[in-house]
Amino acid sequence: MDVHSIRRHFAFADFGRIVANNAASTQPPRELLALYRSLADRYENVHRGQSDASREMTALFEDAYDTIADFIGAPDRTGIALYRNTTEAINSVMYALLTEFRDGDNVVTTMMEHNSNHVPWYALCREVLPRLGRSVQHRLARFDPRTGELDLDHLAALIDSRTKLVCCTAASNFLGTRNPIGTIRGLCDASGYPQPTGERRSRLLVDAAQLVPGAYVDVRALDVDYLAFSFHKMLAPFGVGALYARPHLLAAGLPFLYGGDMIAEGRVFPDRVEYNALPWKYAAGSPNILGTIVSAQALRLLLDLALTPGRPMYFGTGRAIERPAVRAAMNRVADWNRSLTGRALAGLEAVDGITIYGPRDAARRTSLVAFNLAGRDPIGVAEALNRAGVEARAGCHCATLAHHALGLVPPASCRVSFYLYNTPDEVDRIVAAVAAVAAGRAASVPADAPAPGAAGNAPTARRARSAAEA
Ligand SMILES: Cc1ncc(COP(=O)(O)O)c(C=O)c1O
């Protein structure tokens, strides 16, 4: 990974920032922000005009769906529905399936879910369906508090012939644990649950918010029914998230949102409505057009940064994205993230009074490390790190159940997370800062120097301050 070339694409690197909150959101490359601005010249709505501008914007918007489908190995754009984020994508499945649940069914999720993949199912089973007179159980699989690994025996025991749906994160945003999707698919297959489509297996929804940004994903090889992720965790600006669903489920399912553009042109009558072809059946109302175009270009740029950072091959082109290129690029990103995470784990383990959560082996993790320091409030730790120039995050990271399961009071931890532009040197500086905070002494983080690869003329470079001031 040519990290120094990669960093030239990002403004944050000019300011000496050590960005270590990438599991929340990544930084946008300059090209994407410039693309956003350049689209202003051609600004128009899509599917709603005969001007050249509208037709050009429509073509760019529709091409974006193809890029997204190619990136995750979906058969084509008919398996892609775009929403605001992962949260909305998961909620869309909840609403689409609402009418399919039968009395006595159950939904199985895990104790390591982000609230985005817990609360919708909690609300469905405890609030929504009871009002419709239907009783559906919400079952939660445990994880091993010592290793952070999902308890597959417990999960297997919870899945039965009444399990309509299993919802599971591919990677925990707190423990870092990578879950074995193939094994979980096998458990779903064995349930024998009779779906309305005639299939006899539980459906599988994978929350891939922490997977797609840093791994090669092939939705057909994973054989998932639904998979959700957000582009703001993989270089794009905020505002767009994707749902992949097997096209026959989208074809047969009820739409999540109803209104304009999701209907077949002219096919609306007082007593009958015909829906638009996929994927537009799931694109009600004026969409986030610029966000969608820029999000798809973020995927193209991600490939370029991983493969040829000085020489764009995919960004800004209509070039088809081939699977081998996606595999090569994302394996490089995964290797880089793993080496940074391994280095962070090794360094942090040596810090006095630290408790690190989740698997010890970087190969079992996504690129984050959450921890607590004995006797220290995690929010105070993150604030002290910020004063030392390290941008960490503390709180429950929306993984509230997992914090409770570990008996953490308050339910909070401090987390550092990495992406393809972080350097080993930054990891060392983060470890040094955490050690300094733990020891209650000044952090030895020379954060007033631009980070490696920075332009070197940063006028407002962040100055290191004593972490002990916390
Ligand atoms: C595992 C996981 N799922 C879901 C989400 C929610 O993503 P969004 O805020 O983009 O909806 C996150 C965000 O941190 C996450 O880490």
Side-chain angles (χ1 to χ4, degrees):
M1 190 72 92
D2 184 357
V3 69
H4 298 295
S5 298
I6 289 174
R7 288 175 72 91
R8 290 195 196 103
H9 293 258
F10 295 86
F12 81 90
D14 294 354
F15 297 94
R17 293 173 60 192
I18 301 181
V19 174
N21 191 19
N22 297 290
S25 292
T26 50
Q27 296 288 312
R30 302 176 206 278
E31 293 91 329
L32 287 185
L33 299 174
L35 172 63
Y36 222 111
R37 272 193 297 276
S38 78
L39 289 170
D41 302 350
R42 295 164 274 173
Y43 191 90
E44 241 300 359
N45 209 326
V46 296
H47 301 155
R48 289 162 177 82
Q50 284 64 45
S51 64
D52 288 348
S54 178
R55 290 203 164 122
E56 194 187 339
M57 200 57 78
T58 299
L60 290 172
F61 177 74
E62 295 192 352
D63 287 350
Y65 276 70
D66 297 337
T67 298
I68 295 165
D70 289 346
F71 190 83
I72 58 169
D76 55 38
R77 62 167 76 156
T78 61
I80 306 294
L82 296 182
Y83 296 107
R84 286 187 304 146
N85 46 38
T86 302
T87 305
E88 196 170 273
I90 294 173
N91 272 269
S92 78
V93 177
M94 191 271 268
Y95 283 107
L97 294 183
L98 189 60
T99 55
E100 287 190 16
F101 282 94
R102 293 185 299 239
D103 216 32
D105 282 354
N106 63 71
V107 181
V108 177
T109 69
T110 84
M111 289 291 287
M112 64 168 78
E113 297 312 307
H114 187 284
N115 288 332
S116 299
N117 200 26
H118 165 61
V119 182
W121 309 113
Y122 160 88
L124 176 79
C125 297
R126 299 207 178 237
E127 294 175 358
V128 179
L129 290 175
R131 291 187 185 203
L132 300 173
R134 262 171 291 157
S135 166
V136 172
Q137 275 184 7
H138 180 208
R139 301 178 174 173
L140 288 163
R142 293 186 294 258
F143 62 88
D144 182 331
R146 208 173 32 83
T147 63
E149 299 282 356
L150 186 60
D151 183 339
L152 290 170
D153 291 336
H154 189 223
L155 181 68
L158 295 180
I159 298 173
D160 61 22
S161 62
R162 297 308 306 271
T163 303
K164 178 170 180 68
L165 180 70
V166 175
C167 303
C168 185
T169 190
S172 159
N173 71 321
F174 159 48
L175 302 164
T177 319
R178 295 271 299 265
N179 285 325
I181 299 304
T183 307
I184 298 168
R185 173 79 266 179
L187 297 175
C188 295
D189 289 352
S191 79
Y193 180 94
Q195 300 286 356
T197 47
E199 287 173 287
R200 297 191 73 88
R201 62 178 188 169
S202 305
R203 293 207 180 125
L204 175 60
L205 179 152
V206 171
D207 172 355
Q210 296 295 343
L211 181 73
V212 175
Y216 171 69
V217 169
D218 189 306
V219 288
R220 277 183 289 184
L222 288 175
D223 194 19
V224 292
D225 296 296
Y226 305 100
L227 181 133
F229 63 98
S230 295
F231 293 96
H232 68 89
K233 294 181 193 292
M234 46 194 316
L235 305 182
F238 299 103
V240 183
L243 176 73
Y244 159 77
R246 290 197 294 135
H248 78 273
L249 296 178
L250 290 179
L254 285 181
F256 164 47
L257 295 169
Y258 295 83
D261 208 33
M262 53 79 72
I263 43 87
E265 188 69 19
R267 305 302 297 161
V268 174
F269 310 95
D271 57 348
R272 187 162 52 90
V273 169
E274 290 174 28
Y275 298 124
N276 207 340
L278 292 177
W280 318 123
K281 173 183 169 186
Y282 290 88
S286 294
N288 183 348
I289 298 163
L290 303 194
T292 299
I293 295 168
V294 172
S295 292
Q297 290 295 333
L299 302 180
R300 290 177 169 274
L301 193 53
L302 182 55
L303 298 182
D304 287 340
L305 292 183
L307 296 173
T308 53
R311 191 167 42 89
M313 304 273 285
Y314 292 100
F315 178 70
T317 72
R319 186 175 173 168
I321 293 180
E322 307 90 4
R323 295 309 289 155
V326 179
R327 185 193 292 271
M330 295 314 290
N331 284 345
R332 265 192 203 183
V333 174
D335 287 347
W336 184 252
N337 286 349
R338 195 177 309 117
S339 74
L340 295 175
T341 308
R343 195 177 181 101
L345 282 170
L348 290 171
E349 268 166 3
V351 172
D352 265 353
I354 199 165
T355 303
I356 294 173
Y357 305 107
R360 283 293 173 277
D361 179 0
R364 294 282 318 115
R365 286 182 162 263
T366 186
S367 53
L368 61 89
V369 183
F371 60 90
N372 269 311
L373 298 179
R376 301 296 300 264
D377 163 40
I379 306 275
V381 170
E383 288 169 353
L385 290 176
N386 182 52
R387 283 192 284 277
V390 172
E391 300 179 20
R393 175 194 179 183
C396 72
H397 319 294
C398 299
T400 321
L401 286 181
H403 281 77
H404 287 313
L406 292 180
L408 296 176
V409 182
S413 57
C414 188
R415 181 183 77 185
V416 290
S417 49
F418 314 108
Y419 206 40
L420 79 166
Y421 40 61
N422 287 117
T423 66
D425 178 57
E426 284 183 325
V427 171
D428 294 346
R429 288 155 68 179
I430 291 168
V431 170
V434 173
V437 175
R441 62 181 159 72
S444 55
V445 182
D448 53 352
N457 60 349
T460 58
R462 185 187 293 276
R463 299 196 71 76
R465 280 205 246 140
S466 165
E469 287 169 21

